[in-house]
Amino acid sequence: MTKDDIYFFTQAKKELEFKYHDNTYVLNYDKDDNGKEYIIFGPIYETKKYDSFGDLMNNARVENHYFKEFIEVL
């Protein structure tokens, strides 16, 4: 998988789920009461909200790795 694939997933709001070291990670989407959309990413019960694709790429982690560096392993 590439960064472009993840960008497509976030733009099309497609869900992604994968396992890494006995943890299930999810990429999902949510909207707050004001209509602001968020990208949700992280271990299934410990997800964090990201404002944009750029925020996701710059801050999301899979254990000790940045998600952007981990993507090619998927």
Side-chain angles (χ1 to χ4, degrees):
M1 189 165 286
T2 67
K3 257 177 146 174
D4 290 337
D5 294 330
I6 298 300
Y7 180 76
F8 172 76
F9 273 69
T10 60
Q11 296 306 300
K13 294 186 177 26
K14 289 188 167 223
E15 296 178 13
L16 174 67
E17 186 175 298
F18 64 91
K19 287 190 180 262
Y20 184 71
H21 288 172
D22 297 326
N23 288 319
T24 300
Y25 286 81
V26 294
L27 176 69
N28 212 331
Y29 311 91
D30 197 9
K31 193 184 289 190
D32 67 13
D33 294 336
N34 297 324
K36 179 160 175 56
E37 295 181 346
Y38 293 97
I39 299 169
I40 307 295
F41 178 77
I44 198 160
Y45 296 110
E46 301 171 21
T47 58
K48 294 183 180 179
K49 291 182 179 180
Y50 298 93
D51 292 327
S52 65
F53 175 76
D55 186 27
L56 175 72
M57 288 295 107
N58 290 326
N59 297 306
R61 293 176 147 309
V62 174
E63 291 189 3
N64 295 327
H65 310 282
Y66 280 106
F67 182 50
K68 65 184 173 189
E69 297 168 349
F70 180 82
I71 292 170
E72 293 180 13
V73 174
L74 296 177

